[in-house]
Amino acid sequence: MAKVPGVGGVFFKSPDPKRLYDWYARWLGMEFEDWGTAFYPKTMPANGQTVWSAFDAQTNYSAPAEKSSCSI
């Protein structure tokens, strides 16, 4: 059976991305750039990464999608 080597990114909307980044930095020790952060899991292929990024709730970046998040 084939395995998924990683997730390219997690992107979502937030009413205040900066405040959200500050919360994650304070309580989880995550470090952020203006665009978000990237993870480099040891079990991913060489040079693999997963991007984690919050967009302003009013952005049209994900248009035409209308939902701010999804669940699996």
Side-chain angles (χ1 to χ4, degrees):
M1 174 184 286
K3 294 182 179 182
V4 176
V7 175
V10 177
F11 305 96
F12 54 95
K13 295 179 181 180
S14 168
D16 191 343
K18 170 75 170 96
R19 186 171 171 209
L20 184 66
Y21 288 170
D22 290 345
W23 187 92
Y24 275 89
R26 178 176 180 186
W27 297 106
L28 300 179
M30 294 171 67
E31 296 179 14
F32 291 92
E33 302 291 333
D34 290 340
W35 52 267
T37 191
F39 299 97
Y40 303 92
K42 294 177 184 178
T43 58
M44 288 179 74
N47 300 317
Q49 65 179 326
T50 295
V51 175
W52 189 93
S53 185
F55 291 89
D56 184 87
Q58 303 305 313
T59 188
N60 291 325
Y61 182 76
S62 59
E66 296 179 8
K67 296 195 179 248
S68 61
S69 63
C70 65
S71 60
I72 297 173

